[in-house]
Amino acid sequence: MNTVEEHKQEKHPLDVVDDVYDYAEDELSFEEIEERAGGGEWERLKWAGMYAQKQEGYFMIRTKVPGGYLTPEQAEVIGEVTDDLAVAPEEYGGEEQNELWGDAYLDITTRQDIQKHWIRVEDVPEMWDRYDEVGLTTVQGCGDSARNILGCPAAGLDDHECFNAQPVIDAVNEFFTENREYANLPRKFKMTITGCAHDCAQSQINDVGLVPAKKEIDGEHLYGFHARVGGGLSDGPRMGSELDVFIKPEDAVEFCRAVAQTFKEIGDRNNRGVCRMRYLVEQLGPEKFEEAIRDRCTVDLPTGGQNLTVGYQGDHVGVRDQKQDGLKYVGFNVIAGRMGGDEFAEAARAAEKYGTEDASVRLATDQNFLITHIPEENVDDLLAEPFAQEYSPDPGPFSRGAVGCTGSEFCNYAIIETKKRTKRWARELDDRIDVPDDIEAIRMHMSGCSASCAQPQIADIGFRGETVKLEGEDSPNEEGDNLVEGMDFGLGGSLGADNEFLDWIQNAVPADSVIPALEQLFDAYSEHRNDGEKFYQWCRRVDNERLRTIMQGADAPVARGVAHGD
């Protein structure tokens, strides 16, 4: 049993929620929290949705948003809480802490969560009280339990939807949240559930992915789900395996419980590096893993029916028709997912002002958000709102596809800064590179380390942070050690019918060399692409050595660095 498992044995992780109230009342410092509860408390606090920031005394707190669905009231509370409580202190720069976003901002994540920084433990009870009033929670936002459940952000809105799976998401979320029986799993447990034919919820890279299907049972044609299991990224990425099961919507909770039970009973609790469920699926094989689920499931699981998934979309930016007559939804582009708390509250108030009584704010896996149920005659007024100018629904292709993790600004694992760099690069690339007119988005994902929080392996262009030592160069920094921020550079990833992880084409590229390298690549792409060929498809067709040669043709030291420590 590894050290984290020992910490979970010392005290049930969900008990930490009550402890937080005590820490807040006594206004304990980090040192005092550890003195009272031991070093394992930092792990257990994740079950309260709390990560200790690298800036001692402050937390990042994650709010779960099942399926990405928020009422305008919920979204407004999130924005206001951010503006009131997630404020950078003067000792860390105050209003000048971040030149792009100021001192009170939130991050939309690739799991349709909301993350806030600079939260003090004494302010957590107030945040939870305000959340309770509108039905929000941070419980199990982190930790070895069921994480936020992904769904299509346009559930109930799009014509290509087979059925609306949001009620199923809500039911599965309700079962697992604060359920002590399933709150201590070998590792984090990620689920996605969608009725959308375009698999917007990324079933191929989750532990459990339920996707729409149809089957005739006793002469009746029923809609339900097929299941994929064992997908994931980070080190050892794996696409999910399809099981031969058909799951009725009313049986989805029990199926997901049976999968969690299987993982709980026979998952690895020794080596944290291989504790994720995908390693168990790989070890047993999909067929034996399916047998283990059937053995633990209390409902009948018929064999599979007709698969209704036709591809992968994952992009909802722009003004789009709803299937309800006369209504639109608008997808706003938030580069790297970060925006001011006051701006998010403004968006929520705009949803109430211009939308119908069914209006909502939806979070997407590409770190963007939607405002729904807008009568056609109100769209222009919505787009005239101040927040809509910054988070335009008509961005350039690099801005539209840009995703960035938390980065070294706050994360203890990240090697490079990501949020500011992603936003600046996306806008600079939109200015400098002419992308073919038929390409709406270039997916450019930047992770600060190898943990893949920004999902670089499924992007057209993926980055993971490195500290790079330049060879044969005059020192570019004040320390005189030739060390600079850089990244491994990958090309050609995607989900969908032609799903494939990208290839890491060039390691240890200095950050300042990336944009010149991309200019070279897109010049070649524009000149040599086949009709309608997307960038990731061209990258796969062209030999990797040729791609490296093209990149190295830039007037920049693309290939003159090595990862520091190699």
Side-chain angles (χ1 to χ4, degrees):
M1 185 177 291
N2 61 56
T3 303
V4 172
E5 292 297 329
E6 292 174 359
H7 294 328
K8 293 188 289 183
Q9 292 294 322
E10 291 167 7
K11 179 172 68 178
H12 193 288
L14 285 178
D15 290 341
V16 80
V17 175
D18 291 333
D19 295 333
V20 170
Y21 286 100
D22 295 334
Y23 303 153
E25 183 177 357
D26 295 340
E27 298 186 6
L28 297 188
S29 67
F30 275 22
E31 184 178 347
E32 290 168 331
I33 289 173
E34 187 165 332
E35 185 177 322
R36 180 179 295 187
E41 196 75 342
W42 304 116
E43 188 67 34
R44 293 185 291 265
L45 278 165
K46 295 176 183 178
W47 274 255
M50 301 169 65
Y51 273 99
Q53 269 182 211
K54 63 194 298 182
Q55 297 85 357
E56 188 167 322
Y58 297 93
F59 289 94
M60 181 279 282
I61 296 192
R62 185 177 292 153
T63 304
K64 291 173 69 175
V65 186
Y69 179 95
L70 292 167
T71 66
E73 183 183 24
Q74 289 174 323
E76 187 173 11
V77 167
I78 289 173
E80 290 175 346
V81 165
T82 302
D83 210 34
D84 293 341
L85 304 180
V87 181
E90 289 300 324
E91 64 190 284
Y92 287 104
E95 292 183 3
E96 307 300 322
Q97 185 270 321
N98 190 305
E99 66 271 25
L100 295 186
W101 293 284
D103 63 345
Y105 43 80
L106 56 81
D107 294 334
I108 302 169
T109 79
T110 54
R111 282 212 75 76
Q112 299 174 299
D113 294 300
I114 293 285
Q115 293 185 173
K116 297 184 292 295
H117 298 281
W118 301 115
I119 301 290
R120 303 178 304 167
V121 71
E122 53 262 42
D123 292 330
V124 174
E126 179 186 341
M127 180 185 66
W128 284 348
D129 287 345
R130 292 165 70 172
Y131 272 11
D132 284 344
E133 292 176 2
V134 293
L136 293 169
T137 187
T138 70
V139 173
Q140 291 165 258
C142 321
D144 297 340
S145 63
R147 298 291 187 91
N148 196 49
I149 303 170
L150 298 185
C152 175
L157 308 180
D158 274 336
D159 280 331
H160 57 249
E161 180 181 65
C162 304
F163 57 91
N164 183 358
Q166 185 65 40
V168 180
I169 292 173
D170 293 337
V172 175
N173 174 70
E174 184 177 358
F175 174 81
F176 280 100
T177 301
E178 299 188 62
N179 186 331
R180 297 174 72 88
E181 184 71 18
Y182 296 100
N184 178 4
L185 299 174
R187 269 304 241 122
K188 63 185 79 172
F189 184 56
K190 295 183 174 181
M191 294 177 283
T192 174
I193 302 171
T194 184
C196 173
H198 290 171
D199 195 17
C200 304
Q202 303 179 328
S203 68
Q204 294 169 321
I205 56 169
N206 276 263
D207 295 304
V208 180
L210 302 189
V211 294
K214 185 167 63 174
K215 186 177 176 68
E216 182 177 353
I217 299 177
D218 297 330
E220 184 179 4
H221 291 277
L222 302 176
Y223 281 105
F225 300 101
H226 282 172
R228 294 168 175 160
V229 296
L233 298 177
S234 194
D235 294 326
R238 185 182 191 277
M239 293 288 182
S241 300
E242 296 196 14
L243 302 184
D244 187 18
V245 297
F246 178 82
I247 304 152
K248 299 175 184 177
E250 61 268 28
D251 293 337
V253 171
E254 172 57 17
F255 175 81
C256 293
R257 184 210 63 79
V259 178
Q261 184 72 35
T262 303
F263 186 33
K264 177 183 175 181
E265 289 181 14
I266 60 178
D268 186 355
R269 292 183 185 263
N270 179 32
N271 183 349
R272 291 286 287 181
V274 293
C275 283
R276 290 293 302 273
M277 200 182 86
R278 63 179 179 271
Y279 294 104
L280 180 61
V281 175
E282 184 70 21
Q283 178 185 7
L284 293 179
E287 295 81 9
K288 287 190 177 298
F289 191 80
E290 180 185 322
E291 289 176 17
I293 295 169
R294 289 182 178 277
D295 288 344
R296 291 161 175 81
C297 194
T298 63
V299 296
D300 180 46
L301 294 174
T303 56
Q306 177 187 351
N307 180 25
L308 299 179
T309 300
V310 297
Y312 172 69
Q313 179 174 320
D315 179 291
H316 297 81
V317 174
V319 179
R320 305 196 179 209
D321 293 330
Q322 290 186 198
K323 59 186 178 184
Q324 296 84 4
D325 287 344
L327 295 181
K328 306 277 189 179
Y329 71 83
V330 182
F332 293 92
N333 179 227
V334 187
I335 302 174
R338 178 166 289 180
M339 62 189 298
D342 57 342
E343 294 172 316
F344 197 66
E346 286 175 15
R349 288 189 281 270
E352 286 187 309
K353 181 177 181 180
Y354 299 113
T356 69
E357 62 182 10
D358 295 318
S360 62
V361 177
R362 314 278 187 96
L363 311 180
T365 57
D366 55 3
Q367 299 181 319
N368 297 314
F369 74 93
L370 288 57
I371 293 179
T372 75
H373 294 84
I374 305 298
E376 190 169 357
E377 61 271 20
N378 291 351
V379 170
D380 287 343
D381 290 335
L382 172 63
L383 297 181
E385 288 287 319
F387 79 89
Q389 312 314 303
E390 175 66 19
Y391 305 104
S392 169
D394 186 26
F398 286 96
S399 295
R400 184 169 184 154
V403 170
C405 75
T406 298
S408 61
E409 185 178 11
F410 297 113
C411 178
N412 289 307
Y413 302 106
I415 301 170
I416 64 170
E417 191 281 321
T418 55
K419 289 290 188 185
K420 289 181 283 188
R421 180 175 277 124
T422 299
K423 185 167 185 173
R424 285 170 171 153
W425 279 11
R427 290 187 167 171
E428 184 175 352
L429 288 164
D430 281 333
D431 288 339
R432 289 173 61 165
I433 293 179
D434 291 325
V435 174
D437 291 341
D438 60 327
I439 303 298
E440 290 186 333
I442 299 294
R443 298 181 186 275
M444 182 180 71
H445 294 202
M446 187 183 300
S447 271
C449 70
S450 63
S452 302
C453 296
Q455 304 175 332
Q457 292 98 327
I458 61 167
D460 293 274
I461 307 159
F463 304 115
R464 60 187 179 196
E466 289 272 18
T467 300
V468 174
K469 185 179 178 78
L470 286 172
E471 295 183 323
E473 295 282 322
D474 291 335
S475 177
N477 58 42
E478 295 178 359
E479 289 75 18
D481 54 14
N482 281 13
L483 296 180
V484 297
E485 286 195 342
M487 51 203 69
D488 296 335
F489 194 125
L491 296 169
S494 76
L495 295 178
D498 58 350
N499 61 305
E500 206 173 293
F501 295 128
L502 56 65
D503 286 344
W504 295 106
I505 302 298
Q506 182 77 52
N507 292 334
V509 178
D512 289 345
S513 300
V514 169
I515 289 179
L518 286 172
E519 287 181 306
Q520 295 293 112
L521 285 166
F522 275 88
D523 283 347
Y525 167 59
S526 296
E527 183 176 353
H528 300 296
R529 70 189 289 247
N530 295 329
D531 287 345
E533 190 173 37
K534 296 180 180 179
F535 183 69
Y536 75 84
Q537 295 170 328
W538 176 79
C539 290
R540 292 178 190 173
R541 181 168 61 82
V542 176
D543 179 79
N544 285 352
E545 188 58 42
R546 174 61 182 153
L547 293 173
R548 273 189 287 274
T549 300
I550 293 170
M551 291 171 58
Q552 292 168 12
D555 185 19
V558 172
R560 294 184 210 159
V562 295
H564 182 49
D566 287 359

